[in-house]
Amino acid sequence: EAQVTQNPRYLITVTGKKLTVTCSQNMNHEYMSWYRQDPGLGLRQIYYSMNVEVTDKGDVPEGYKVSRKEKRNFPLILESPSPNQTSLYFCASSPLAGGFANTGELFFGEGSRLTVL
Amino acid sequence: LAKTTQPISMDSYEGQEVNITCSHNNIATNDYITWYQQFPSQGPRFIIQGYKTKVTNEVASLFIPADRKSSTLSLPRVSLSDTAVYYCLVGDGEISNDYKLSFGAGTTVTVRA
């Protein structure tokens, strides 16, 4: 089954304790991206990657890191989490072949709800 | 990436048609228009995409006027299960260096019995 898998789905942590949210896709997609969703603000892009070893900042990258060492994986790293990073996080992937928007579809994971105390 | 503006919320009743209009005044020549649907605690899912005129699939129709400065997502005969947030996204149709994609706040559609 084609899917984007995120782990953990739920996490409560404390300020300053490093954590990683993993994202894996089995569709051989070039493009992967992380979003955070907060009430009234919709989905905001944190980082994206167009292929292995190619990453770039989205609209809200502060406090986050990413890596893309393999095509299927795109982990989101919070080196020193703070309460303002409490949010619902989504990973997404998309094929790039043929022009990005022509593919029409971002595939999303089920989300990871993070609470930083 | 072209900025989009949508209504914050819309209410409807079962069996009615729901039309959500998205404004994208500075849409670029290469931009396509894509709509996503999101249920609570789930990731968004693709509904429909178009470039101009009208596109229809089994879920919805997308109407795009000639100037492409707006688009309207039409959901025919909605049911309670169509209650969701709907996002309009405008992005490049050609490979470029800018793949930033933020969805904005979307339109919350509430369908009542």
Side-chain angles (χ1 to χ4, degrees):
Chain A
E1 178 188 355
Q3 59 186 2
V4 177
T5 304
Q6 299 178 222
N7 280 295
R9 295 287 313 283
Y10 302 91
L11 179 64
I12 300 175
T13 189
V14 295
T15 299
K17 185 176 181 181
K18 179 180 178 180
L19 68 91
T20 299
V21 186
T22 64
C23 175
S24 180
Q25 50 95 4
N26 61 0
M27 296 168 280
N28 201 37
H29 287 168
E30 291 86 357
Y31 183 89
M32 296 186 75
S33 181
W34 276 103
Y35 296 85
R36 61 176 290 173
Q37 185 168 35
D38 303 289
L41 297 178
L43 285 154
R44 295 180 292 168
Q45 191 178 47
I46 304 171
Y47 269 95
Y48 64 93
S49 169
M50 289 173 60
N51 215 323
V52 175
E53 303 294 359
V54 181
T55 64
D56 209 342
K57 297 178 181 179
D59 290 327
V60 289
E62 295 77 20
Y64 304 95
K65 289 184 179 179
V66 293
S67 68
R68 188 89 182 273
K69 294 182 170 54
E70 304 167 283
K71 197 173 187 179
R72 63 184 292 124
N73 296 323
F74 191 44
L76 179 69
I77 303 158
L78 287 74
E79 293 273 0
S80 183
S82 62
N84 65 10
Q85 291 179 299
T86 292
S87 186
L88 178 59
Y89 291 86
F90 288 101
C91 179
S93 73
S94 178
L96 275 181
F100 177 75
N102 288 347
T103 69
E105 191 162 2
L106 280 164
F107 292 82
F108 283 82
E110 294 184 341
S112 296
R113 187 169 294 281
L114 171 65
T115 301
V116 183
L117 301 175
Chain B
L1 192 66
K3 177 179 169 61
T4 60
T5 304
Q6 305 173 231
I8 294 175
S9 63
M10 298 181 71
D11 289 343
S12 184
Y13 291 92
E14 283 189 295
Q16 290 186 336
E17 178 180 79
V18 172
N19 296 305
I20 309 170
T21 296
C22 178
S23 297
H24 27 80
N25 290 322
N26 59 339
I27 188 170
T29 301
N30 297 331
D31 283 348
Y32 282 71
I33 301 153
T34 311
W35 285 82
Y36 287 81
Q37 175 191 54
Q38 185 182 25
F39 297 113
S41 300
Q42 295 185 22
R45 72 182 186 105
F46 172 89
I47 302 177
I48 197 166
Q49 184 191 66
Y51 184 79
K52 61 181 179 180
T53 64
K54 177 183 175 182
V55 179
T56 297
N57 61 23
E58 65 278 5
V59 177
S61 294
L62 179 59
F63 298 91
I64 306 168
D67 66 6
R68 303 193 338 113
K69 292 185 183 300
S70 68
S71 59
T72 299
L73 175 73
S74 180
L75 305 172
R77 297 178 299 281
V78 295
S79 63
L80 296 176
S81 62
D82 292 315
T83 294
V85 180
Y86 293 83
Y87 297 94
C88 167
L89 191 66
V90 177
D92 284 340
E94 293 184 356
I95 294 176
S96 69
N97 291 325
D98 182 5
Y99 282 96
K100 291 183 181 180
L101 290 176
S102 287
F103 283 62
T107 298
T108 299
V109 172
T110 302
V111 180
R112 306 181 192 280

